PDB file of all heavy atoms in Angstrom:
ATOM      1  N   GLY J 570     121.518 128.261  23.150  1.00 68.00           N
ATOM      2  CA  GLY J 570     122.441 127.497  22.320  1.00 68.00           C
ATOM      3  C   GLY J 570     121.924 127.164  20.938  1.00 68.00           C
ATOM      4  O   GLY J 570     122.579 126.443  20.185  1.00 68.00           O
ATOM      5  N   GLU J 571     120.739 127.691  20.575  1.00 73.00           N
ATOM      6  CA  GLU J 571     120.183 127.387  19.262  1.00 73.00           C
ATOM      7  C   GLU J 571     120.019 128.670  18.439  1.00 73.00           C
ATOM      8  O   GLU J 571     119.786 129.749  18.981  1.00 73.00           O
ATOM      9  CB  GLU J 571     118.826 126.686  19.397  1.00 73.00           C
ATOM     10  CG  GLU J 571     118.921 125.306  20.042  1.00 73.00           C
ATOM     11  CD  GLU J 571     117.580 124.578  20.017  1.00 73.00           C
ATOM     12  OE1 GLU J 571     116.605 125.176  19.529  1.00 73.00           O
ATOM     13  OE2 GLU J 571     117.537 123.424  20.469  1.00 73.00           O
ATOM     14  N   PHE J 572     120.113 128.496  17.121  1.00 74.00           N
ATOM     15  CA  PHE J 572     119.985 129.618  16.204  1.00 74.00           C
ATOM     16  C   PHE J 572     118.552 130.146  16.238  1.00 74.00           C
ATOM     17  O   PHE J 572     117.588 129.394  16.137  1.00 74.00           O
ATOM     18  CB  PHE J 572     120.340 129.157  14.788  1.00 74.00           C
ATOM     19  CG  PHE J 572     120.156 130.203  13.733  1.00 74.00           C
ATOM     20  CD1 PHE J 572     120.767 131.438  13.853  1.00 74.00           C
ATOM     21  CD2 PHE J 572     119.393 129.955  12.603  1.00 74.00           C
ATOM     22  CE1 PHE J 572     120.620 132.403  12.867  1.00 74.00           C
ATOM     23  CE2 PHE J 572     119.244 130.915  11.627  1.00 74.00           C
ATOM     24  CZ  PHE J 572     119.848 132.132  11.747  1.00 74.00           C
ATOM     25  N   SER J 573     118.384 131.457  16.374  1.00 77.00           N
ATOM     26  CA  SER J 573     117.061 132.074  16.447  1.00 77.00           C
ATOM     27  C   SER J 573     116.731 132.775  15.139  1.00 77.00           C
ATOM     28  O   SER J 573     117.569 133.453  14.549  1.00 77.00           O
ATOM     29  CB  SER J 573     117.000 133.090  17.589  1.00 77.00           C
ATOM     30  OG  SER J 573     115.777 133.789  17.556  1.00 77.00           O
ATOM     31  N   THR J 574     115.497 132.605  14.681  1.00 74.00           N
ATOM     32  CA  THR J 574     115.039 133.248  13.450  1.00 74.00           C
ATOM     33  C   THR J 574     114.129 134.438  13.741  1.00 74.00           C
ATOM     34  O   THR J 574     113.358 134.864  12.885  1.00 74.00           O
ATOM     35  CB  THR J 574     114.284 132.228  12.577  1.00 74.00           C
ATOM     36  OG1 THR J 574     113.167 131.721  13.313  1.00 74.00           O
ATOM     37  CG2 THR J 574     115.191 131.088  12.170  1.00 74.00           C
ATOM     38  N   VAL J 575     114.220 134.966  14.959  1.00 77.00           N
ATOM     39  CA  VAL J 575     113.332 136.050  15.350  1.00 77.00           C
ATOM     40  C   VAL J 575     113.490 137.275  14.439  1.00 77.00           C
ATOM     41  O   VAL J 575     112.525 138.013  14.195  1.00 77.00           O
ATOM     42  CB  VAL J 575     113.572 136.443  16.831  1.00 77.00           C
ATOM     43  CG1 VAL J 575     114.967 137.032  17.020  1.00 77.00           C
ATOM     44  CG2 VAL J 575     112.519 137.443  17.301  1.00 77.00           C
ATOM     45  N   LEU J 576     114.676 137.478  13.893  1.00 75.00           N
ATOM     46  CA  LEU J 576     114.914 138.614  13.003  1.00 75.00           C
ATOM     47  C   LEU J 576     114.944 138.216  11.525  1.00 75.00           C
ATOM     48  O   LEU J 576     115.233 139.052  10.670  1.00 75.00           O
ATOM     49  CB  LEU J 576     116.250 139.288  13.353  1.00 75.00           C
ATOM     50  CG  LEU J 576     116.261 140.194  14.587  1.00 75.00           C
ATOM     51  CD1 LEU J 576     117.672 140.689  14.837  1.00 75.00           C
ATOM     52  CD2 LEU J 576     115.320 141.363  14.414  1.00 75.00           C
ATOM     53  N   GLN J 577     114.641 136.951  11.241  1.00 69.00           N
ATOM     54  CA  GLN J 577     114.825 136.453   9.878  1.00 69.00           C
ATOM     55  C   GLN J 577     114.008 137.230   8.856  1.00 69.00           C
ATOM     56  O   GLN J 577     114.523 137.668   7.822  1.00 69.00           O
ATOM     57  CB  GLN J 577     114.452 134.968   9.800  1.00 69.00           C
ATOM     58  CG  GLN J 577     114.578 134.390   8.387  1.00 69.00           C
ATOM     59  CD  GLN J 577     114.336 132.897   8.378  1.00 69.00           C
ATOM     60  OE1 GLN J 577     114.409 132.243   9.398  1.00 69.00           O
ATOM     61  NE2 GLN J 577     114.040 132.361   7.209  1.00 69.00           N
ATOM     62  N   GLU J 578     112.711 137.405   9.126  1.00 69.00           N
ATOM     63  CA  GLU J 578     111.847 138.085   8.156  1.00 69.00           C
ATOM     64  C   GLU J 578     112.316 139.515   7.912  1.00 69.00           C
ATOM     65  O   GLU J 578     112.394 139.981   6.777  1.00 69.00           O
ATOM     66  CB  GLU J 578     110.400 138.065   8.652  1.00 69.00           C
ATOM     67  CG  GLU J 578     109.420 138.660   7.645  1.00 69.00           C
ATOM     68  CD  GLU J 578     107.980 138.513   8.107  1.00 69.00           C
ATOM     69  OE1 GLU J 578     107.719 137.724   9.049  1.00 69.00           O
ATOM     70  OE2 GLU J 578     107.127 139.203   7.530  1.00 69.00           O
ATOM     71  N   GLU J 579     112.633 140.232   9.000  1.00 71.00           N
ATOM     72  CA  GLU J 579     113.071 141.617   8.858  1.00 71.00           C
ATOM     73  C   GLU J 579     114.406 141.709   8.121  1.00 71.00           C
ATOM     74  O   GLU J 579     114.604 142.556   7.247  1.00 71.00           O
ATOM     75  CB  GLU J 579     113.183 142.263  10.240  1.00 71.00           C
ATOM     76  CG  GLU J 579     113.594 143.733  10.185  1.00 71.00           C
ATOM     77  CD  GLU J 579     113.669 144.349  11.569  1.00 71.00           C
ATOM     78  OE1 GLU J 579     113.185 143.716  12.534  1.00 71.00           O
ATOM     79  OE2 GLU J 579     114.215 145.456  11.678  1.00 71.00           O
ATOM     80  N   LEU J 580     115.343 140.785   8.459  1.00 70.00           N
ATOM     81  CA  LEU J 580     116.651 140.795   7.797  1.00 70.00           C
ATOM     82  C   LEU J 580     116.525 140.449   6.324  1.00 70.00           C
ATOM     83  O   LEU J 580     117.238 141.000   5.473  1.00 70.00           O
ATOM     84  CB  LEU J 580     117.603 139.817   8.498  1.00 70.00           C
ATOM     85  CG  LEU J 580     118.129 140.247   9.873  1.00 70.00           C
ATOM     86  CD1 LEU J 580     118.897 139.107  10.523  1.00 70.00           C
ATOM     87  CD2 LEU J 580     119.009 141.481   9.753  1.00 70.00           C
ATOM     88  N   ASP J 581     115.617 139.515   6.006  1.00 66.00           N
ATOM     89  CA  ASP J 581     115.395 139.153   4.604  1.00 66.00           C
ATOM     90  C   ASP J 581     114.965 140.366   3.795  1.00 66.00           C
ATOM     91  O   ASP J 581     115.444 140.602   2.683  1.00 66.00           O
ATOM     92  CB  ASP J 581     114.330 138.057   4.490  1.00 66.00           C
ATOM     93  CG  ASP J 581     114.937 136.669   4.621  1.00 66.00           C
ATOM     94  OD1 ASP J 581     116.155 136.547   4.394  1.00 66.00           O
ATOM     95  OD2 ASP J 581     114.205 135.723   4.938  1.00 66.00           O
ATOM     96  N   LYS J 582     114.034 141.138   4.348  1.00 66.00           N
ATOM     97  CA  LYS J 582     113.547 142.317   3.642  1.00 66.00           C
ATOM     98  C   LYS J 582     114.664 143.336   3.442  1.00 66.00           C
ATOM     99  O   LYS J 582     114.837 143.906   2.369  1.00 66.00           O
ATOM    100  CB  LYS J 582     112.396 142.949   4.430  1.00 66.00           C
ATOM    101  CG  LYS J 582     111.117 142.129   4.436  1.00 66.00           C
ATOM    102  CD  LYS J 582     110.052 142.816   5.264  1.00 66.00           C
ATOM    103  CE  LYS J 582     108.766 141.980   5.295  1.00 66.00           C
ATOM    104  NZ  LYS J 582     107.725 142.626   6.139  1.00 66.00           N
ATOM    105  N   ILE J 583     115.427 143.578   4.508  1.00 63.00           N
ATOM    106  CA  ILE J 583     116.522 144.539   4.422  1.00 63.00           C
ATOM    107  C   ILE J 583     117.569 144.063   3.415  1.00 63.00           C
ATOM    108  O   ILE J 583     118.058 144.822   2.577  1.00 63.00           O
ATOM    109  CB  ILE J 583     117.171 144.741   5.807  1.00 63.00           C
ATOM    110  CG1 ILE J 583     116.161 145.386   6.768  1.00 63.00           C
ATOM    111  CG2 ILE J 583     118.424 145.605   5.698  1.00 63.00           C
ATOM    112  CD1 ILE J 583     116.664 145.480   8.189  1.00 63.00           C
ATOM    113  N   TYR J 584     117.873 142.760   3.467  1.00 59.00           N
ATOM    114  CA  TYR J 584     118.914 142.187   2.609  1.00 59.00           C
ATOM    115  C   TYR J 584     118.498 142.245   1.138  1.00 59.00           C
ATOM    116  O   TYR J 584     119.253 142.649   0.263  1.00 59.00           O
ATOM    117  CB  TYR J 584     119.181 140.751   3.032  1.00 59.00           C
ATOM    118  CG  TYR J 584     120.353 140.110   2.333  1.00 59.00           C
ATOM    119  CD1 TYR J 584     121.657 140.416   2.695  1.00 59.00           C
ATOM    120  CD2 TYR J 584     120.153 139.194   1.302  1.00 59.00           C
ATOM    121  CE1 TYR J 584     122.729 139.840   2.056  1.00 59.00           C
ATOM    122  CE2 TYR J 584     121.209 138.607   0.649  1.00 59.00           C
ATOM    123  CZ  TYR J 584     122.511 138.932   1.038  1.00 59.00           C
ATOM    124  OH  TYR J 584     123.559 138.354   0.392  1.00 59.00           O
ATOM    125  N   ASP J 585     117.243 141.854   0.857  1.00 58.00           N
ATOM    126  CA  ASP J 585     116.760 141.839  -0.518  1.00 58.00           C
ATOM    127  C   ASP J 585     116.641 143.246  -1.090  1.00 58.00           C
ATOM    128  O   ASP J 585     116.856 143.474  -2.276  1.00 58.00           O
ATOM    129  CB  ASP J 585     115.403 141.140  -0.600  1.00 58.00           C
ATOM    130  CG  ASP J 585     115.521 139.640  -0.325  1.00 58.00           C
ATOM    131  OD1 ASP J 585     116.645 139.123  -0.463  1.00 58.00           O
ATOM    132  OD2 ASP J 585     114.504 139.014   0.029  1.00 58.00           O
ATOM    133  N   ALA J 586     116.269 144.202  -0.233  1.00 52.00           N
ATOM    134  CA  ALA J 586     116.099 145.581  -0.710  1.00 52.00           C
ATOM    135  C   ALA J 586     117.420 146.337  -0.787  1.00 52.00           C
ATOM    136  O   ALA J 586     117.463 147.473  -1.259  1.00 52.00           O
ATOM    137  CB  ALA J 586     115.126 146.328   0.205  1.00 52.00           C
ATOM    138  N   ARG J 587     118.486 145.719  -0.326  1.00 53.00           N
ATOM    139  CA  ARG J 587     119.813 146.342  -0.334  1.00 53.00           C
ATOM    140  C   ARG J 587     119.803 147.702   0.400  1.00 53.00           C
ATOM    141  O   ARG J 587     120.347 148.689  -0.077  1.00 53.00           O
ATOM    142  CB  ARG J 587     120.311 146.548  -1.772  1.00 53.00           C
ATOM    143  CG  ARG J 587     120.593 145.247  -2.517  1.00 53.00           C
ATOM    144  CD  ARG J 587     121.789 144.527  -1.885  1.00 53.00           C
ATOM    145  NE  ARG J 587     122.295 143.454  -2.721  1.00 53.00           N
ATOM    146  CZ  ARG J 587     121.935 142.175  -2.591  1.00 53.00           C
ATOM    147  NH1 ARG J 587     121.039 141.843  -1.679  1.00 53.00           N
ATOM    148  NH2 ARG J 587     122.454 141.249  -3.364  1.00 53.00           N
TER     149      ARG J 587
END
Side-chain angles (χ1 to χ4, degrees):
E571 294 186 358
F572 176 54
S573 173
T574 59
V575 66
L576 283 176
Q577 178 174 341
E578 184 175 345
E579 182 179 348
L580 287 172
D581 273 339
K582 290 179 181 178
I583 295 174
Y584 187 77
D585 291 340
R587 293 293 193 265

